[in-house]
């Protein structure tokens, strides 16, 4: 059984490792020529960590992960603590600590686990087609490859998705821009082992620890789509957007490196339930493109990879049956996470200002129970539950 995987992001690489584990002959093709992930870090929630553990990467993941012992919400303007609570009940309930990790380090860990020298870089897929005995991918350099199956893990602007659905789709602008990067831990911004989030006015500023005494930070700023932006000007833009915010936020704006701060317009895609056409399947953002508001996009991609492995374990010699099992195991769960993230996004970013004001009030009386219940409900339900 041979699989061609298009895309060496966290979805494609997790799938490559998962299939290789069960003896599938895997080839990975990636359009970029080197490991240069977009974005600074991600929070790998417990469900994602369990997938990485399942792929044999327990020690490696823990070594990259920050320790988040508590969570807090801070009034962005006054700097007053709205609530602070321990993460331990969550860890106890789901049986695994979450780990925020630097993207480049996660990516390198996955590449090494698969075999970095075995990744075919600089290979941009320009077409994919199904056939009775094999599926075939053509690349921009004029070469082609065939396999028993093609897994399109080619991200949010997926070409494989277009093939599987039979038409292109329009993604939806979620109404805000996310600025993100890494800074050294600074307790004047937030405690070293806490996920700290400043909120106010439908905006959000957050820091969470990753390994190496660093914070992953992000700022969410609501604004119309397509605003011009010159790379390197993050400090000026954020100083203006958060001018009257509290000293912790000002300190973060002063600490960030504008040259390495990323700016991402946030989009998502309505869930869809056709992930397979013949021998071609989509996985990761190609199959479910979500806003990052519950931090589940990458975790969901890792769940896809594990589900794909389980499907081929169940149907080792039958691509059609295995891909059908994969599709039926995943579309509902992944679509649900997309819709939950969208709902959370609307509340966080004041789509309805009254609902957001009510959320701020709730946070002032929060003891952690409701927030943790919400996060746990996102975490459970995947292939490793
Ligand atoms: P990608 O990472 O996009 O990888 C796709 C790969 O395919 C790329 O390497 C690309 O170069 C390659 N490719 C594309 N087209 C072709 C082609 N034609 N030929 C060959 N190669 C191709 N998720 C979480 O779990 N937790 C978080 O905290 C979190 N935070 C986020 C914050 C932000 C601001 C954003 C934008 C996303 C966040 N996510 C988070 C989501 C997460 O980043 C994605 O879900 C994840 O990267 C999806 O992985 P993927 O492998 O499916 O796609």
């Amino acid at each position: 059984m041979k699989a061609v995987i298009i895309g060496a992001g966290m979805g494609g690489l997790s799938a490559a490792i998962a299939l290789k584990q069960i003896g599938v002959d895997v080839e990975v093709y990636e359009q970029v020529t080197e490991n240069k992930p977009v974005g600074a870090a991600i929070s790998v929630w417990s469900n994602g960590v369990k997938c990485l553990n399942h792929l044999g990467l327990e020690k490696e993941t823990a070594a990259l992960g920050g320790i988040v012992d508590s969570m807090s919400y801070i009034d962005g303007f006054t700097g007053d603590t709205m609530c602070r609570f321990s993460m331990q009940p969550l860890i106890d309930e789901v049986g695994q600590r979450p780990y925020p990790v630097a993207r480049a380090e996660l990516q390198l860990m996955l590449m090494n686990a698969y075999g970095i020298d075995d990744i075919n870089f600089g290979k941009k897929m320009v077409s994919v087609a199904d056939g009775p005995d094999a599926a075939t991918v053509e690349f921009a350099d004029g070469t082609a490859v065939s396999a028993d199956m093609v897994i399109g893990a080619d991200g949010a602007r997926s070409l494989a998705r277009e093939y599987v659905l039979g038409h292109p789709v329009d993604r939806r602008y979620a109404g805000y821009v996310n600025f993100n990067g890494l800074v050294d831990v600074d307790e004047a911004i937030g405690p070293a082992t806490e996920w700290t989030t400043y909120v106010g006015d439908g905006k959000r500023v957050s820091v969470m620890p990753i390994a190496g005494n660093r914070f992953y930070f992000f700022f969410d700023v609501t604004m119309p789509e397509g605003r011009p932006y010159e790379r390197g000007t993050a400090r000026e833009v954020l100083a203006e957007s958060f001018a009257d915010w509290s000293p912790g936020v000002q300190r973060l704006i002063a600490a960030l490196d504008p040259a390495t701060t990323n700016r991402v317009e946030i989009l998502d895609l309505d869930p869809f339930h056709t992930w397979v056409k013949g021998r071609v399947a989509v996985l990761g953002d190609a199959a479910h493109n979500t806003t990052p508001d519950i931090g589940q996009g990458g975790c969901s991609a890792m769940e896809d990879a594990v589900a794909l492995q389980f499907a081929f374990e169940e149907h080792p010699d039958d691509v059609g049956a295995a891909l059908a099992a994969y599709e039926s195991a995943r579309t509902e769960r992944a679509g649900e996470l997309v819709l939950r993230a969208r709902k959370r996004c609307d509340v966080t970013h004041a789509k309805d200002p009254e609902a957001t004001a009510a959320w701020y009030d709730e946070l002032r009386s929060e003891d952690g129970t409701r927030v943790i219940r919400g996060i746990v409900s996102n975490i459970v339900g995947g292939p490793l539950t």
Side-chain angles (χ1 to χ4, degrees):
M1 183 73 73
K2 175 178 163 187
V4 158
I5 296 183
I6 303 298
M10 60 188 86
L13 288 169
S14 299
I17 298 163
L19 291 179
K20 201 173 157 185
Q21 262 182 350
I22 55 165
V24 175
D25 176 14
V26 180
E27 291 179 5
V28 178
Y29 294 86
E30 165 57 54
Q31 65 183 358
V32 305
T33 48
E34 56 183 317
N35 173 23
K36 250 193 170 177
V38 180
I42 74 162
S43 158
V44 186
W45 284 102
S46 313
N47 53 323
V49 177
K50 284 184 186 180
C51 293
L52 294 171
N53 295 347
H54 177 80
L55 298 181
L57 294 165
E58 182 165 3
K59 260 199 262 155
E60 292 84 344
T61 305
L64 299 181
I67 298 299
V68 184
D69 283 332
S70 54
M71 253 178 96
S72 67
Y73 281 91
I74 313 283
D75 181 318
F77 294 103
T78 65
D80 294 340
T81 301
M82 300 162 93
C83 58
R84 166 171 289 126
F85 48 87
S86 166
M87 290 291 276
Q88 199 56 47
L90 177 141
I91 298 166
D92 291 343
E93 190 166 345
V94 302
Q96 173 59 58
R97 177 181 275 288
Y99 285 123
V101 293
R103 269 180 195 266
E105 291 161 20
L106 173 67
Q107 193 74 3
L108 190 60
M109 174 186 83
L110 292 168
M111 285 181 172
N112 284 334
Y114 170 68
I116 197 161
D117 294 337
D118 295 336
I119 299 171
N120 298 284
F121 286 102
K123 300 291 275 187
K124 181 181 167 63
M125 172 175 74
V126 291
S127 79
V128 57
D130 188 29
D133 303 317
T136 301
V137 170
E138 289 179 340
F139 296 101
D141 61 8
T143 59
V145 64
S146 292
D148 297 302
M149 65 180 130
V150 170
I151 306 299
D154 52 343
R157 295 190 194 85
S158 171
L159 184 65
R161 176 177 64 217
E162 199 172 318
Y163 175 76
V164 165
L165 288 177
H167 55 82
V169 292
D170 286 328
R171 295 194 297 145
R172 181 199 71 112
Y173 179 55
Y176 76 97
V177 169
N178 175 282
F179 292 82
N180 64 69
L182 303 178
V183 289
D184 288 341
V185 163
D186 177 350
E187 298 250 352
I189 303 170
T193 58
E194 186 156 289
W195 175 16
T196 305
T197 302
Y198 296 80
V199 292
D201 219 9
K203 293 187 266 193
R204 176 165 74 141
V205 181
S206 213
V207 289
M208 63 180 84
I210 62 167
N213 200 39
R214 294 166 295 171
F215 275 148
Y216 164 43
F217 72 81
F218 62 83
F219 296 75
D220 289 352
V221 189
T222 52
M223 65 173 78
E225 190 175 10
R227 280 269 175 91
Y229 173 75
E230 199 183 319
R231 189 160 172 92
T233 61
R235 183 171 294 137
E236 287 81 358
V237 173
L238 295 171
E240 195 186 327
S241 290
F242 295 90
D244 42 1
W245 282 47
S246 60
V249 174
Q250 303 310 324
R251 181 109 171 181
L252 177 58
I253 294 171
L256 62 79
D257 176 1
T260 57
T261 298
N262 306 293
R263 178 192 188 273
V264 195
E265 290 193 333
I266 300 299
L267 294 98
D268 73 0
L269 182 60
D270 287 336
F272 55 95
H273 298 277
T274 303
W275 287 18
V276 176
K277 181 172 174 183
R279 295 171 178 273
V280 181
V282 284
L283 180 146
D285 277 12
H288 43 78
N289 187 198
T290 178
T291 70
D293 290 77
I294 57 171
Q296 280 290 345
C299 297
S300 202
M302 293 169 197
E303 286 190 359
D304 294 344
V306 172
L308 188 68
Q309 184 196 64
F310 288 173
F312 274 94
E313 269 180 331
E314 206 181 326
H315 306 282
D317 304 316
D318 187 340
V319 173
L323 292 183
Y326 160 69
E327 182 184 61
S328 96
R330 291 300 300 152
T331 63
E332 198 176 316
R333 155 109 177 126
E336 170 73 19
L337 290 175
V338 171
L339 296 179
R340 280 182 188 207
R342 189 179 282 185
K343 210 164 154 188
R344 193 70 254 147
C345 168
D346 289 349
V347 175
T348 304
H349 301 104
K351 190 169 183 192
D352 169 2
E354 276 181 28
T356 304
W359 177 52
Y360 294 160
D361 283 345
E362 253 176 55
L363 288 176
R364 289 191 179 88
S365 62
E366 176 68 52
D367 65 359
T369 312
R370 277 176 301 201
V371 173
I372 285 181
R373 195 186 310 131
I375 299 175
V376 168
S377 70
N378 299 331
I379 288 173
V380 298
L384 302 169
T385 67

